[in-house]
Amino acid sequence: MTILTRPILEINTGNIIKNYQQFQKLSGDAVAAAVVKDNAYGIGAETVSEALYNQAGCRHFFVGHGIEGAKIRSKAPDAKIYILEGMGADSIELFKAHHLTPVINSLKQYQFWKQNKIEGINPVIHIETGLNRQGFREADLQQLSAQDLTEFSFVMSHLACADVKEHFMNLRQLNEFKRLKAKYFPKTKASLVASDGVFLGEEYLFDMVRLGAGLYGINTAPYRQNQSLPVITLKAPVLQIEDVNEGDYIGYSITYQANSPKKIAIIACGYGDGLPRTLSNVGKVYFETPTERFEARILGRVSMEVIVCDVTDAQGLNIGDYAHIIDDKYTLDDIGRDAGTIGYEILSNVGKNPRADRRYK
Amino acid sequence: MTILTRPILEINTGNIIKNYQQFQKLSGDAVAAAVVKDNAYGIGAETVSEALYNQAGCRHFFVGHGIEGAKIRSKAPDAKIYILEGMGADSIELFKAHHLTPVINSLKQYQFWKQNKIEGINPVIHIETGLNRQGFREADLQQLSAQDLTEFSFVMSHLACADVKEHFMNLRQLNEFKRLKAKYFPKTKASLVASDGVFLGEEYLFDMVRLGAGLYGINTAPYRQNQSLPVITLKAPVLQIEDVNEGDYIGYSITYQANSPKKIAIIACGYGDGLPRTLSNVGKVYFETPTERFEARILGRVSMEVIVCDVTDAQGLNIGDYAHIIDDKYTLDDIGRDAGTIGYEILSNVGKNPRADRRYK
């Protein structure tokens, strides 16, 4: 028996590389760009960028803000680094210093760019096709001169429902994208899809795909078998194993009462580690012995650094054993579903865990 | 009009100091310890510890794991730093190097401590009184010798329902704590409550209170007016203001459809910044002009880095204006309630935002 107290977050960078290569294969001749925004969905933008740059030849990276681009520049020295939120007064110096490429989402952003052009940078233009998030609306495209329209390296848009293969929005957005491209950007390279859109068919691929969630093991196209290998494993040690009596309460606000005697395991992981509090009384963790894998339900509220799980029927469980919170059998997609959200949000929070022992392999 | 792209997280360390002093006053002669686990609930354990040590004379700090204690040692050189999860094989070297004090939660942890004692350190013993989380059960206390029982600097426990003044569990746990203390630790100093328990009455205070959420502006005793000043403000700039037509969809999976023409603001904040995805279609943000404050509802899904809000009725709103996501009028408690969780979890995630411009004042 070993006394242990710290969660472990294992990150399989080898599988990130493999996922990139798999999506690259699926994407035909389109350039495969890596989306490493939000610190690579929490996994570590510098580590991920360096691995993809050195081991997979990736030369196109997307992040949200200039500050994120600045952080990865040294890991991807001659790559294109695109900034999805565009260039603003709060990032312009970073663009200059780190040779970042803005995605220009609106006429106002374009005007700002015109006043602050950086030599050698050809921005991307983002056009709106149905998601109603960032992007130029057509009325604003009409304000650009013929000369303006030629200076972009890519025209891009983004799909709303690419995770559902037969969704009517996919074709509607594709047609709108093609119409706007033909009218305003006939000779400009184009990019429409993220990981989920890669499965929609060849005509969605254009010249570049933008791979985010698919790199990190999330099944972005849940109507088919996951094409991504799992990337993270979150484990946390059992701090104590104790008995509770019939009638005993567990956790804050006594939301659980034992209706019979139980054996509980107290585990060093909570919402501070990224385990959502919505899993109170409904989530589960897994234990593995040499011969079996068994489930232990979360009893009571998820605390900041601790959960309590039902191990009444567990055989051979010891203090110091690791509970699997997320692994290759209970995936980010599974825990996202159980928590009433998506694997993306789980990963983003788990990846920011400040006390996990983070092990890259 | 300014083009801006980055969220701003303002942290009022002055108010953390004031909150500490206010709780210190409420706690009478009890020592006021600061709980800075989970990177001070995301706010920054080093900054918070340094401020409380230098400006408020705090000399007792609690964190979850040894790694967290090691990080703050240089900011609180001669303070006691207590480690709630205890000492384990994965932290013993940190305990030695940084002179950390374990909270010992179980007989097994005590046995580990006995084999690995650190000179000059008197551990805290945590006893279970009804929460059924960490802590010695009475059967295990009986395994300790009379000599063993005298070596602890404090005996502590933790309340399950201290946020509800009249909850039967409070008195039940108090009585159990007093019984166990009288029986096993008659001469040992004691600590039972966190911020919320400070309001339960003098006999709950004992020799030390452990202040966490109350320091960071959360109303830990929601049945009464908040005694904590707000500590964080999260703001994010408007990237675009656009029109949508009747029938248009907004966001991923088209969960929102406009039933009339609308004006929308696209704002640079999403679940990657700690804004929970459960606020999709139900959350709201606020704008302030010199003359008014108005609410804008979130339309469609919260994305990783962006939300879309309804500003149809807004007057004088401009690109580059900041939406208030959390402030002193729409507090952590408010957003926690609207998101179906508690301010603690919101703060923990918001505080880990990797791209916010973090401004301490």
Side-chain angles (χ1 to χ4, degrees):
Chain A
M1 191 200 63
T2 318
I3 302 290
L4 296 164
T5 62
R6 191 177 182 191
I8 296 175
L9 181 63
E10 288 171 354
I11 295 169
N12 189 329
T13 44
N15 278 358
I16 298 176
I17 303 289
K18 285 181 190 157
N19 290 339
Y20 177 83
Q21 289 164 337
Q22 169 70 357
F23 272 95
Q24 201 175 32
K25 211 184 299 172
L26 292 165
S27 303
D29 294 334
V31 165
V35 181
V36 294
K37 65 184 179 178
D38 191 27
N39 199 26
Y41 295 38
I43 282 177
E46 290 163 80
T47 307
V48 170
S49 301
E50 186 170 36
L52 288 172
Y53 182 91
N54 287 332
Q55 295 170 53
C58 180
R59 292 294 180 271
H60 297 259
F61 295 86
F62 280 84
V63 291
H65 186 273
I67 190 74
E68 299 178 288
K71 277 193 188 136
I72 62 165
R73 173 49 86 198
S74 69
K75 307 299 182 188
D78 61 348
K80 300 280 185 203
I81 300 177
Y82 307 100
I83 311 297
L84 288 161
E85 255 79 283
M87 182 172 83
D90 55 359
S91 59
I92 183 168
E93 294 308 321
L94 297 168
F95 277 78
K96 288 181 188 161
H98 299 282
H99 211 68
L100 308 175
T101 303
V103 174
I104 294 187
N105 296 290
S106 68
L107 188 59
K108 302 284 191 219
Q109 285 196 344
Y110 184 70
Q111 288 160 348
F112 186 80
W113 166 254
K114 269 197 120 163
Q115 289 157 16
N116 298 282
K117 277 194 186 184
I118 302 167
E119 211 185 298
I121 295 285
N122 293 101
V124 172
I125 185 165
H126 182 175
I127 60 173
E128 158 57 24
T129 56
L131 182 60
N132 271 306
R133 253 180 12 177
Q134 294 107 306
F136 264 75
R137 275 57 180 173
E138 189 171 7
D140 286 338
L141 283 180
Q142 290 165 352
Q143 306 298 310
L144 301 185
S145 72
Q147 171 62 28
D148 292 341
L149 289 169
T150 60
E151 77 164 294
F152 300 103
S153 53
F154 282 92
V155 53
M156 69 168 271
S157 193
H158 195 65
L159 298 178
C161 303
D163 58 337
V164 179
K165 175 103 180 174
E166 303 299 337
H167 204 294
F168 73 90
M169 282 295 287
N170 296 330
L171 193 57
R172 183 192 284 193
Q173 286 195 264
L174 174 65
N175 287 337
E176 179 68 354
F177 187 63
K178 283 159 72 175
R179 183 184 73 79
L180 291 168
K181 175 170 162 34
K183 186 164 171 192
Y184 300 97
F185 307 99
K187 293 181 179 164
T188 308
K189 287 184 180 177
S191 174
L192 178 60
V193 300
S195 308
D196 49 4
V198 165
F199 304 102
L200 295 178
E202 218 173 298
E203 62 174 344
Y204 285 82
L205 299 176
F206 295 94
D207 303 294
M208 176 163 63
V209 298
R210 307 182 304 272
L211 307 172
L215 299 182
Y216 311 120
I218 289 169
N219 188 357
T220 59
Y223 55 85
R224 55 177 291 167
Q225 202 184 348
N226 197 355
Q227 298 293 299
S228 302
L229 300 170
V231 166
I232 70 152
T233 301
L234 177 64
K235 298 190 283 197
V238 173
L239 298 168
Q240 294 178 233
I241 299 172
E242 302 289 351
D243 295 312
V244 297
N245 299 315
E246 183 179 338
D248 278 0
Y249 300 106
I250 294 176
Y252 281 124
S253 303
I254 57 168
T255 63
Y256 178 84
Q257 185 174 30
N259 58 12
S260 60
K262 300 265 182 210
K263 191 161 65 165
I264 58 171
I266 300 158
I267 295 163
C269 189
Y271 61 78
D273 304 293
L275 183 69
R277 194 167 161 281
T278 47
L279 289 173
S280 298
N281 283 309
V282 298
K284 52 215 175 186
V285 304
Y286 293 85
F287 291 97
E288 290 191 345
T289 68
T291 54
E292 62 165 348
R293 176 179 172 92
F294 60 89
E295 182 180 305
R297 187 161 76 87
I298 295 174
L299 302 179
R301 287 269 169 81
V302 173
S303 302
M304 183 178 273
E305 302 199 316
V306 180
I307 47 174
V308 175
C309 291
D310 185 351
V311 293
T312 307
D313 302 321
Q315 302 295 321
L317 184 68
N318 291 304
I319 292 167
D321 285 353
Y322 281 96
H324 293 228
I325 315 289
I326 299 165
D327 64 10
D328 55 353
K329 298 190 191 72
Y330 186 66
T331 66
L332 282 166
D333 299 308
D334 295 328
I335 191 171
R337 180 200 58 228
D338 289 346
T341 182
I342 50 176
Y344 301 65
E345 188 180 26
I346 304 287
L347 179 56
S348 173
N349 287 332
V350 163
K352 292 168 191 148
N353 186 328
R355 68 171 176 148
D357 183 0
R358 190 175 277 252
R359 298 178 183 177
Y360 291 95
K361 65 175 181 183
Chain B
M1 193 202 61
T2 319
I3 303 289
L4 296 165
T5 61
R6 191 177 182 192
I8 295 175
L9 181 63
E10 288 170 355
I11 295 170
N12 189 328
T13 43
N15 279 357
I16 298 177
I17 302 289
K18 285 182 191 158
N19 291 338
Y20 178 82
Q21 290 164 336
Q22 169 68 359
F23 272 94
Q24 202 175 30
K25 211 183 298 171
L26 292 164
S27 303
D29 295 334
V31 165
V35 181
V36 294
K37 64 184 180 180
D38 193 27
N39 199 26
Y41 294 40
I43 282 177
E46 289 164 79
T47 307
V48 171
S49 301
E50 186 169 36
L52 288 172
Y53 182 90
N54 288 332
Q55 295 170 53
C58 180
R59 292 294 180 272
H60 297 261
F61 295 87
F62 279 84
V63 292
H65 186 272
I67 191 75
E68 299 178 287
K71 279 195 186 135
I72 62 165
R73 173 50 86 198
S74 69
K75 307 300 182 187
D78 61 347
K80 299 280 187 204
I81 299 177
Y82 306 101
I83 310 299
L84 287 161
E85 255 78 282
M87 182 171 84
D90 55 358
S91 60
I92 183 167
E93 295 309 320
L94 297 168
F95 276 78
K96 288 180 188 162
H98 300 281
H99 211 68
L100 308 175
T101 302
V103 174
I104 294 188
N105 296 290
S106 67
L107 187 60
K108 302 283 191 220
Q109 285 195 343
Y110 184 70
Q111 288 161 347
F112 186 79
W113 166 253
K114 270 195 119 164
Q115 291 159 14
N116 298 283
K117 278 194 185 182
I118 302 167
E119 211 186 297
I121 295 286
N122 294 102
V124 172
I125 185 165
H126 183 175
I127 60 173
E128 157 58 24
T129 57
L131 182 60
N132 271 307
R133 253 181 10 180
Q134 295 108 306
F136 265 74
R137 275 59 179 173
E138 189 172 6
D140 286 337
L141 283 181
Q142 289 165 353
Q143 307 297 311
L144 301 186
S145 71
Q147 172 62 29
D148 293 341
L149 289 169
T150 61
E151 77 163 295
F152 300 103
S153 53
F154 281 92
V155 53
M156 69 169 271
S157 192
H158 195 66
L159 298 178
C161 303
D163 58 334
V164 179
K165 175 101 178 176
E166 304 298 338
H167 204 293
F168 73 90
M169 282 295 287
N170 296 330
L171 194 58
R172 182 192 284 193
Q173 287 195 264
L174 174 65
N175 287 337
E176 179 69 354
F177 188 63
K178 284 159 75 175
R179 183 183 72 78
L180 291 168
K181 174 170 162 39
K183 187 165 170 190
Y184 299 97
F185 308 99
K187 293 180 176 164
T188 308
K189 287 184 180 176
S191 175
L192 178 60
V193 299
S195 307
D196 49 3
V198 166
F199 304 103
L200 295 178
E202 218 173 298
E203 64 174 343
Y204 285 81
L205 299 176
F206 295 94
D207 303 295
M208 176 161 66
V209 298
R210 308 181 305 269
L211 307 172
L215 299 181
Y216 310 120
I218 289 169
N219 189 355
T220 58
Y223 55 85
R224 55 177 292 165
Q225 202 185 346
N226 197 354
Q227 298 291 298
S228 302
L229 300 169
V231 166
I232 70 152
T233 302
L234 177 63
K235 298 191 284 198
V238 173
L239 299 168
Q240 293 178 234
I241 298 173
E242 302 289 351
D243 294 312
V244 298
N245 299 316
E246 183 179 338
D248 277 1
Y249 300 106
I250 294 176
Y252 282 123
S253 303
I254 57 167
T255 62
Y256 178 84
Q257 185 174 30
N259 57 13
S260 60
K262 300 265 182 210
K263 193 161 62 165
I264 59 170
I266 299 157
I267 296 163
C269 189
Y271 61 77
D273 304 293
L275 183 69
R277 194 167 161 280
T278 48
L279 290 173
S280 299
N281 283 308
V282 298
K284 51 214 176 188
V285 304
Y286 292 86
F287 291 98
E288 290 192 345
T289 68
T291 54
E292 63 164 347
R293 176 180 173 90
F294 60 89
E295 182 179 304
R297 187 160 77 88
I298 295 173
L299 303 179
R301 287 270 168 81
V302 173
S303 301
M304 182 178 273
E305 302 200 314
V306 180
I307 47 174
V308 175
C309 290
D310 185 353
V311 293
T312 306
D313 301 322
Q315 302 295 320
L317 184 68
N318 291 304
I319 291 167
D321 287 352
Y322 281 95
H324 293 229
I325 315 290
I326 299 164
D327 65 10
D328 56 353
K329 298 190 191 73
Y330 186 66
T331 65
L332 282 166
D333 299 309
D334 294 328
I335 192 171
R337 180 199 59 228
D338 289 346
T341 183
I342 50 175
Y344 301 64
E345 188 180 26
I346 305 286
L347 179 56
S348 173
N349 287 332
V350 163
K352 292 169 192 150
N353 186 328
R355 67 171 177 148
D357 184 1
R358 189 176 277 251
R359 298 178 183 178
Y360 291 96
K361 64 174 182 183

